[in-house]
Amino acid sequence: MKQNEEKQSARKLFIKTASAFFLSHIGGIIIAFIFCFGLSSLFQGNGIYVLIPVILFVYSYPVYGTMWNAGHRDLNAANFGHTVLYRWKGLVYGVAGMIPVIVISLAFILSKFGLFFNFIMPYKIINAEIWPIINLINPSIYLPEFSYWQIFLIALCSLIPVLIGEFGYVMGTYDISIKQKLVYRKEKSDKHE
């Protein structure tokens, strides 16, 4: 009976964490879209090389924070003997949370084979965190102008949030807070002046 309750509790926690990942992904998409729209002049020429890290950075803040909290929570549970800590669990949470995006990416690939309509522009909008990367690969909005390898590469790039989530999760399991390191470093340098 107790083992069944533990499995049910673990399942609920898994669904809750994967859902939190997806919601933070949506929040990051909204932020990335605003920055893409505001910095649209950088989409031309060499500005795209500045835009890619800026968009990924602003997108990653909510995703990283959510997964850092999940990793830190699992670290605390492991320290008290409530669970076994798996450092790759962030990838599992991320893939589970990204199932809607994975399905859309599969539809994007199938659109190249004529099974769906040309939805490159909507795909760029719902994947705003990789919009500059998509434009770097091919800036066109017309599907026939994309080669097959470009379509597969773009669909693969939609998994970048999973990698960001895994990084946040691992940092949480090691109790390493980048924000705290930056804040405390600044305070130390202020004291020396």
Side-chain angles (χ1 to χ4, degrees):
M1 186 74 163
K2 184 178 179 183
Q3 189 178 18
N4 193 25
E5 288 177 11
E6 288 175 0
K7 283 184 180 180
Q8 194 171 14
S9 176
R11 189 177 302 123
K12 284 181 182 177
L13 182 63
F14 179 82
I15 292 170
K16 179 182 174 184
T17 305
S19 299
F21 177 87
F22 181 70
L23 291 175
S24 64
H25 169 71
I26 297 297
I29 290 291
I30 292 168
I31 294 168
F33 179 76
I34 291 168
F35 271 77
C36 282
F37 186 74
L39 300 173
S40 60
S41 63
L42 295 177
F43 272 97
Q44 303 298 320
N46 290 334
I48 196 109
Y49 297 107
V50 173
L51 192 60
I52 290 172
V54 167
I55 297 299
L56 285 174
F57 177 76
V58 298
Y59 161 80
S60 68
Y61 191 76
V63 172
Y64 175 87
T66 297
M67 294 307 290
W68 188 93
N69 288 334
H72 195 259
R73 177 202 63 219
D74 288 354
L75 172 67
N76 286 337
N79 286 341
F80 288 103
H82 298 294
T83 189
V84 177
L85 188 62
Y86 297 107
R87 302 222 190 267
W88 294 100
K89 198 186 268 185
L91 283 176
V92 178
Y93 287 140
V95 169
M98 292 291 284
I99 287 175
V101 175
I102 292 169
V103 169
I104 291 169
S105 294
L106 289 174
F108 178 68
I109 291 170
L110 293 175
S111 70
K112 181 63 179 171
F113 295 98
L115 299 174
F116 286 98
F117 65 94
N118 175 11
F119 65 99
I120 292 200
M121 201 58 211
Y123 189 80
K124 287 180 179 184
I125 292 170
I126 61 175
N127 287 290
E129 81 282 8
I130 61 167
W131 190 344
I133 296 171
I134 295 171
N135 274 22
L136 183 63
I137 294 169
N138 190 333
S140 177
I141 58 170
Y142 301 107
L143 189 63
E145 295 179 12
F146 283 80
S147 65
Y148 288 101
W149 72 267
Q150 289 174 329
I151 294 291
F152 283 104
L153 182 60
I154 290 167
L156 192 60
C157 284
S158 68
L159 294 176
I160 288 174
V162 175
L163 299 177
I164 293 169
E166 170 61 16
F167 179 67
Y169 183 84
V170 168
M171 295 298 275
T173 62
Y174 284 110
D175 196 22
I176 299 172
S177 173
I178 295 172
K179 187 166 62 171
Q180 279 184 338
K181 297 250 185 234
L182 292 174
V183 169
Y184 288 128
R185 179 178 293 163
K186 184 170 177 29
E187 286 181 4
K188 284 182 181 177
S189 67
D190 288 345
K191 288 178 183 176
H192 290 295
E193 290 179 3

